[in-house]
Amino acid sequence: MRKILIIGIGAGDPEYVTVQAVNALNRVDAFFIPDKGTEKEDLARLRLEICERYIRDRTYRLVDFKTPARSHDCPDYKLSVQEWHSRIEQVYETLLAEELGEGECGAFLVWGDPTLYDSTLRIIEKIKSKGNIAIEYDVIPGISSVQALAAKHRIALNRIGEPVHITTGRKLAEGFPDNVDTVVVVLDGEQAFKTIEGTGVDIYWGAYIGTKDEILVSGRLSDVGDHIEGVRAQARRQKGWIMDTYLLRKPAEK
Ligand SMILES: C[S@@+](CC[C@H](N)C(=O)[O-])C[C@H]1O[C@@H](n2cnc3c(N)ncnc32)[C@H](O)[C@@H]1O
């Protein structure tokens, strides 16, 4: 049996790493470090920093691996993601079989929280259920970009007794969801907030939250939307990649 820990490391600030995550880090023999392309180097470095900072009196190894990129040829988004995930699954299965000995503990350090817009849990569960290699796994929660965004802007995610809708830029572009007044958007490469009409919508936007490059902007979407677009484009140009999240809130009903 091989043990896998899927550890949420928080969304940027090494101080977002929880005590539970530190205890988990200190049980690991091998960390699997993905090389994802663009934001890769910075994020891989942060993973290493976390290991160096929190692991005490224990030797561990770092196993770098290349994650396959999603093909953009397929017009069906869900199909292309499925195909991409099955390639990742094969990479992970080989990694676990070849790089982790029986009885050892391996870990994936997942950005933010592993339960939010991340495929690691689905992929590991699939490998476990196929049964080619015997694994068991635990999940350690982390501070997500959504929580970090709200904390940085010093706002509650929800209005009293009201729901919060978390979605992607792709979905938001189809319109502000019905029956909610608050939407949090991740994975938005197209600034879908530009498609939102209506006066009185507020935006709380953050990029590179929790890191030294953090940028925060908030205000009426109609007042600050263009400014965010400009700031975002400039930051992306300078750094070569961007990670941003935002919350949109409609005015309270009277
Ligand atoms: C694949 S999702 C992973 C979400 C992650 N599991 C979490 O808990 O935040 C990646 C998206 O999360 C958001 N994100 C993650 N970290 C962020 C940060 N430090 N600042 C701003 N947005 C962030 C961005 O919207 C990014 O496109």
Side-chain angles (χ1 to χ4, degrees):
M1 186 64 81
R2 293 160 168 87
K3 178 85 182 181
I4 315 291
L5 296 175
I6 301 170
I7 305 175
I9 55 170
D13 185 338
E15 294 196 355
Y16 289 159
V17 174
T18 67
V19 174
Q20 192 180 38
V22 171
N23 289 337
L25 291 169
N26 280 281
R27 290 162 55 200
V28 175
D29 300 300
F31 290 93
F32 299 110
I33 308 286
D35 173 354
K36 285 194 178 171
T38 37
E39 69 255 33
K40 52 231 165 210
E41 276 167 37
D42 289 344
L43 300 192
R45 199 172 321 117
L46 191 104
R47 287 181 166 90
L48 301 190
E49 254 178 65
I50 284 175
C51 291
E52 281 164 16
R53 183 160 168 177
Y54 294 115
I55 300 176
R56 294 277 165 261
D57 307 324
R58 178 175 179 87
T59 52
Y60 56 90
R61 51 189 194 278
L62 302 171
V63 181
D64 296 322
F65 67 101
K66 284 229 174 307
T67 44
R70 183 160 76 83
S71 155
H72 292 276
D73 296 341
C74 176
D76 184 320
Y77 175 73
K78 285 212 165 144
L79 260 186
S80 84
V81 171
Q82 273 169 17
E83 183 275 335
W84 176 43
H85 284 177
S86 75
R87 281 187 289 130
I88 299 179
E89 194 186 304
Q90 278 161 19
V91 170
Y92 278 31
E93 192 165 344
T94 309
L95 257 184
L96 297 179
E98 292 180 355
E99 301 286 349
L100 200 62
E102 285 282 335
E104 280 197 313
C105 178
F108 292 91
L109 303 182
V110 176
W111 194 256
D113 181 74
T115 67
L116 190 74
Y117 287 99
D118 186 274
S119 319
T120 313
L121 295 188
R122 273 184 287 268
I123 291 166
I124 296 295
E125 177 53 36
K126 200 103 178 272
I127 293 172
K128 180 176 160 69
S129 59
K130 272 173 29 191
N132 293 338
I133 47 172
I135 58 170
E136 59 175 33
Y137 67 95
D138 286 331
V139 181
I140 316 294
I143 293 179
S144 70
S145 52
V146 175
Q147 293 162 284
L149 173 80
K152 290 286 178 168
H153 282 287
R154 296 180 294 178
I155 53 168
L157 282 173
N158 62 291
R159 283 220 175 91
I160 297 171
E162 295 298 331
V164 178
H165 187 102
I166 302 177
T167 191
T168 61
R170 174 185 293 269
K171 283 281 175 194
L172 184 73
E174 295 169 9
F176 202 104
D178 293 336
N179 304 323
V180 291
D181 62 8
T182 302
V183 179
V184 180
V185 183
V186 295
L187 288 168
D188 184 2
E190 306 296 328
Q191 296 102 77
F193 58 78
K194 290 188 296 185
T195 63
I196 299 303
E197 289 178 2
T199 48
V201 174
D202 287 327
I203 184 166
Y204 297 86
W205 177 83
Y208 316 110
I209 299 166
T211 74
K212 65 177 179 21
D213 300 313
E214 177 179 282
I215 314 170
L216 301 172
V217 179
S218 63
R220 275 285 138 87
L221 179 56
S222 51
D223 295 338
V224 298
D226 288 348
H227 173 62
I228 292 174
E229 207 182 339
V231 169
R232 186 184 190 281
Q234 193 190 0
R236 187 169 186 223
R237 241 186 341 267
Q238 274 171 0
K239 214 169 150 63
W241 60 276
I242 191 156
M243 230 173 16
D244 61 332
T245 305
Y246 54 91
L247 180 148
L248 296 174
R249 180 165 281 150
K250 284 185 169 171
E253 283 184 8
K254 303 219 168 77

